[in-house]
Amino acid sequence: MKPVFKLEQSQREHSAEVRTLWCVQHERCDYVVIEGDDEVHFTDYAQPGRLQLLRAAKVIDSAEALLQFAQQDYQQRFAD
């Protein structure tokens, strides 16, 4: 069964320009990325305060791309 994620989008000022930020959240973790970046910020809630930087195979340019990345990483990371 695929993990269920909540998807959020917001806008942040970044280096004097506004950029889109996406977050997908699960009850165990979350993944955050700035549009056009391949560096995904990952937090495992079982390890509070430990932010991990994950490298995507390609630039994440949509919420759907982040969701797909998160689903694949989650299934590998938390294989039960």
Side-chain angles (χ1 to χ4, degrees):
M1 182 155 98
K2 278 190 173 182
V4 176
F5 287 95
K6 176 182 168 185
L7 175 64
E8 294 181 9
Q9 177 178 321
S10 61
Q11 304 234 319
R12 297 283 192 272
E13 190 171 317
H14 181 75
S15 302
E17 64 180 275
V18 175
R19 302 210 31 213
T20 301
L21 180 115
W22 292 298
C23 173
V24 291
Q25 185 177 26
H26 183 271
E27 62 187 26
R28 295 175 77 171
C29 61
D30 67 24
Y31 298 81
V32 179
V33 70
I34 295 174
E35 178 182 20
D37 203 349
D38 67 346
E39 195 170 80
V40 178
H41 298 232
F42 169 77
T43 303
D44 181 345
Y45 299 149
Q47 300 175 352
R50 287 210 48 196
L51 176 71
Q52 296 179 36
L53 298 178
L54 308 177
R55 183 78 57 190
K58 61 181 182 175
V59 169
I60 303 222
D61 57 2
S62 70
E64 293 78 19
L66 177 60
L67 183 58
Q68 183 179 21
F69 174 86
Q71 288 171 336
Q72 290 172 353
D73 183 76
Y74 182 92
Q75 288 178 335
Q76 291 173 357
R77 185 178 303 275
F78 298 109
D80 293 328

